[in-house]
Amino acid sequence: MTEPTFEVRAFQALPAAAAVAVLVLEGRFAAGVSQPLGRPRLHLDDGEVRVDVAPVHGPEATAGPGGVPWRATFAVPLAIVDRASYALAIGRDLLVELPPPDLGERGDDADAEAARLARLAREANDLRRRLDAARDALAGAEARAREAETARRERDEARAELEATRAKLASAEETAREQAARAAAKARAEAARAGEEALVQAARRHEAALEAMRLEHEQALAAAVRDHERSRAEAASAHDEALAAQRARADAARRELQIARAELHALREAGATAETAEPRPARTQPERRAPVTDVTRPLDPDEESVRVLSRPPRPRHTPEDETEPAMLSPGATRIGARSITTTREGAADGRRRGRAQRVVALLALAIAIAAFVLVVVLRLGPG
């Protein structure tokens, strides 16, 4: 695209006031193809002051084949008009140099007045056009204001409709909330009735289970009582048997001790007689032993369960019944001491066995009681 050129047809300066001059520029913009150029600006430079002035009046410029006419008016400082250099700035990159403006004859008052009148007419026309443009803008603004007022009314109506819709929505929401509350209350009542029925059924099942558990616990308690009674009876029977055996051993030891004492007394008498008289055969009394009899009586199941075989009661033997020997035979003392020691050891052993049997019986009874309590607690539960 070729750069446009500007052909100056007229460039004239007219004084408008004491410090302002009016420059009228007229010419043609030529280019190979038609192209818009916007509104060119007038550039002034006097070496000290640079001024870039937009046109006071003038349309946008257009370049085209054969040249497109363009005319504009600029207001510039009067002090630099005669010594500044001029250029026409088109867009941002193009700067077209201009010749100095035509200042005219200052001594010709008639021409100056005519020029001033022409300038004033042009300015009046420009002001009239600007007034028309302002009126058009005012009409447009009023139209836009009316449209805005219409829009405001429509907005207010829409807002009122929105408020009415919100009120209806709030009323509908309140109605729905009340209906939901009634439905929830009804559901809770039905659930409460269903829950009561379920609780009644559960209570019945629980009572049945408790009754079955009670019967089971009673059966277990009865069985435990029977087992305890059986264990107690067995322990009592074992204790009675042990006691009877201990009594039998004690009786036998007592009889052996009495026999040993009698023999010892006889030996002492024999020894004394031998010291005072001539030696003669020792006279000993034949041992009076009672025949063993089988004492049998019917057993009471509630009493003893042991048959005791014993000798019939023999007469009590006293020291007066025996004669003390004058001299003891060799070894008699040792034999008597061993017999007494053996008898004492047997009696002590019998007592120890009796105590051990009683302890075993008590332990068995305690174990049975503990088992019974444990079964009752496990069956009935902690509460």
Side-chain angles (χ1 to χ4, degrees):
M1 181 181 296
T2 60
E3 294 182 354
T5 60
F6 182 69
E7 180 185 356
V8 179
R9 299 295 299 272
F11 188 28
Q12 187 178 6
L14 300 173
V20 179
V22 176
L23 298 180
V24 179
L25 179 61
E26 184 176 356
R28 291 177 179 272
F29 285 101
V33 295
S34 178
Q35 54 180 321
L37 302 177
R39 301 189 70 182
R41 301 173 65 85
L42 183 63
H43 183 71
L44 291 79
D45 187 3
D46 66 347
E48 295 179 357
V49 179
R50 292 181 180 182
V51 181
D52 193 14
V53 183
V56 177
H57 174 69
E60 293 184 356
T62 303
V68 179
W70 181 76
R71 187 175 184 276
T73 303
F74 299 93
V76 298
L78 183 60
I80 63 173
V81 170
D82 56 351
R83 66 175 183 269
S85 61
Y86 296 89
L88 190 63
I90 303 173
R92 295 182 178 179
D93 301 328
L94 184 59
L95 191 64
V96 179
E97 293 185 2
L98 298 175
D102 185 7
L103 300 178
E105 295 293 338
R106 296 188 180 183
D108 192 353
D109 295 337
D111 292 340
E113 185 66 20
R116 188 177 67 81
L117 292 176
R119 180 178 55 78
L120 291 176
R122 286 193 298 270
E123 290 180 357
N125 292 332
D126 182 57
L127 291 174
R128 189 178 294 110
R129 284 191 296 272
R130 291 172 65 184
L131 180 60
D132 293 337
R135 287 175 179 174
D136 294 340
L138 178 60
E142 290 178 353
R144 288 192 296 274
R146 287 191 296 270
E147 292 177 357
E149 183 67 20
T150 303
R152 186 182 63 80
R153 287 196 301 269
E154 291 177 354
R155 187 178 65 250
D156 293 340
E157 293 176 357
R159 185 176 299 169
E161 185 177 357
L162 177 61
E163 292 296 333
T165 304
R166 286 179 178 175
K168 292 181 181 178
L169 180 61
S171 178
E173 185 178 358
E174 185 65 24
T175 303
R177 189 180 294 110
E178 292 177 358
Q179 292 178 356
R182 289 195 295 270
K186 183 178 179 181
R188 285 195 297 270
E190 293 178 356
R193 289 194 295 272
E196 290 177 357
E197 294 178 359
L199 286 176
V200 170
Q201 294 178 0
R204 291 176 179 173
R205 291 194 298 270
H206 184 65
E207 290 177 357
L210 287 178
E211 184 64 22
M213 187 180 298
R214 187 183 63 79
L215 294 176
E216 184 178 358
H217 289 170
E218 289 181 355
Q219 294 176 0
L221 180 61
V225 170
R226 288 194 298 270
D227 294 341
H228 173 66
E229 293 294 336
R230 183 169 55 254
S231 300
R232 188 175 64 82
E234 292 176 356
S237 177
H239 177 68
D240 293 340
E241 291 177 359
L243 185 60
Q246 183 179 0
R247 288 176 179 175
R249 287 193 297 271
D251 293 339
R254 189 179 297 109
R255 287 192 297 272
E256 295 292 336
L257 180 59
Q258 292 175 357
I259 295 172
R261 285 178 178 175
E263 292 178 352
L264 179 60
H265 184 69
L267 291 175
R268 286 178 180 176
E269 290 181 352
T273 304
E275 289 179 356
T276 56
E278 295 179 355
R280 60 178 180 179
R283 185 178 58 87
T284 59
Q285 293 182 355
E287 183 182 0
R288 292 179 295 177
R289 297 179 179 271
V292 177
T293 58
D294 185 3
V295 180
T296 305
R297 61 186 179 88
L299 297 177
D300 190 353
D302 294 333
E303 295 180 357
E304 297 181 352
S305 59
V306 179
R307 176 180 297 176
V308 179
L309 300 178
S310 63
R311 301 175 183 273
R314 55 186 297 181
R316 184 176 181 82
H317 187 80
T318 61
E320 290 76 8
D321 298 335
E322 299 291 338
T323 59
E324 185 176 353
M327 183 180 62
L328 296 177
S329 62
T333 304
R334 187 172 57 253
I335 293 172
R338 186 170 58 250
S339 176
I340 294 171
T341 303
T342 303
T343 303
R344 290 179 179 177
E345 291 178 356
D349 189 16
R351 286 194 297 273
R352 284 196 298 271
R353 288 182 181 179
R355 284 195 296 270
Q357 290 175 356
R358 285 193 295 273
V359 169
V360 170
L362 291 175
L363 286 176
L365 180 60
I367 292 171
I369 293 173
F372 169 73
V373 173
L374 183 61
V375 169
V376 171
V377 171
L378 292 178
R379 295 290 184 141
L380 296 179

